[in-house]
Amino acid sequence: MCDFLPSAVPAEILRAVLDSASERPSITGSSPWEVYIVSGAARDRLSSALVEAALARSIAEVPGEGLQGHSRSRQNREDLQRYFGFFGAPHLFLVSMEPGEGRLLAGVDAGIHAGTFLSLLRSYGLSGVSQSHLRLFTDTIRSALAIDGPQEFLSCIAFGYPASHAESPVLSVALH
């Protein structure tokens, strides 16, 4: 299971992880992306909006721990709430980038940055889980967080203090 304690990460620890992650290697020598740290009421608002958007897209199943659910079923809604509830993590690390030329290499750099952030979390007694399906909900994210602009969200890492030292699950969400 991948569960998090509700305790917020102190600002000084968060700043240290973000500063260390910014010192990662770079292919392009630039950072044409934006990082958003989402917590509290904004995180909760985003979670609710993502569950509703996922249900509207007729998600057929969220495999994991033997689940075989159908769209809009009670079990499927509960699993969507868990997944898009970020497994209880109090914080999100979202990476966005505007569409355009040079995006491929810049996207690789953004991935290196996100991977570095994810790896550094353990150094501070934190844990994180990458939630790649959020990239399919760019419009929902922009709307829920009142973000203007054409940027697309490339990655999301839910993070915080782990509730246990158990392995993170590998979940897959099938969209139709």
Side-chain angles (χ1 to χ4, degrees):
M1 268 302 124
C2 178
D3 290 304
F4 295 88
L5 298 175
S7 310
V9 175
E12 61 274 7
I13 292 176
L14 182 54
R15 175 56 42 206
V17 176
L18 289 168
D19 287 347
S20 294
S22 69
E23 297 171 6
R24 90 265 164 249
S26 173
I27 294 172
T28 63
S30 66
S31 302
W33 59 82
E34 291 186 57
V35 170
Y36 296 87
I37 302 298
V38 181
S39 306
R43 177 218 166 274
D44 296 343
R45 191 171 54 252
L46 178 58
S47 174
S48 295
L50 288 166
V51 169
E52 294 310 313
L55 286 169
R57 289 180 78 163
S58 298
I59 292 187
E61 62 183 9
V62 182
E65 299 182 16
L67 169 70
Q68 295 296 320
H70 296 287
S71 179
R72 303 184 197 285
S73 72
R74 190 181 123 225
Q75 183 67 51
N76 191 45
R77 179 178 273 281
E78 289 171 5
D79 286 311
L80 287 172
Q81 287 172 329
R82 180 167 160 67
Y83 183 82
F84 290 119
F86 317 112
F87 303 99
H91 306 286
L92 304 176
F93 172 93
L94 292 169
V95 178
S96 75
M97 207 167 84
E98 290 189 17
E101 289 186 42
R103 183 180 162 138
L104 178 63
L105 291 178
V108 171
D109 269 353
I112 292 170
H113 183 76
T116 301
F117 178 86
L118 184 59
S119 296
L120 285 167
L121 291 173
R122 287 185 184 227
S123 302
Y124 293 88
L126 302 169
S127 184
V129 60
S130 180
Q131 295 192 259
S132 62
H133 287 92
L134 269 68
R135 67 180 163 56
L136 301 173
F137 296 93
T138 287
D139 292 338
T140 302
I141 295 169
R142 284 196 307 247
S143 176
L145 299 179
I147 297 171
D148 291 326
Q151 68 266 41
E152 297 173 352
F153 288 86
L154 306 177
S155 64
C156 173
I157 298 169
F159 70 98
Y161 292 102
S164 69
H165 296 288
E167 290 294 314
S168 298
V170 176
L171 293 178
S172 175
V173 177
L175 297 176
H176 299 280

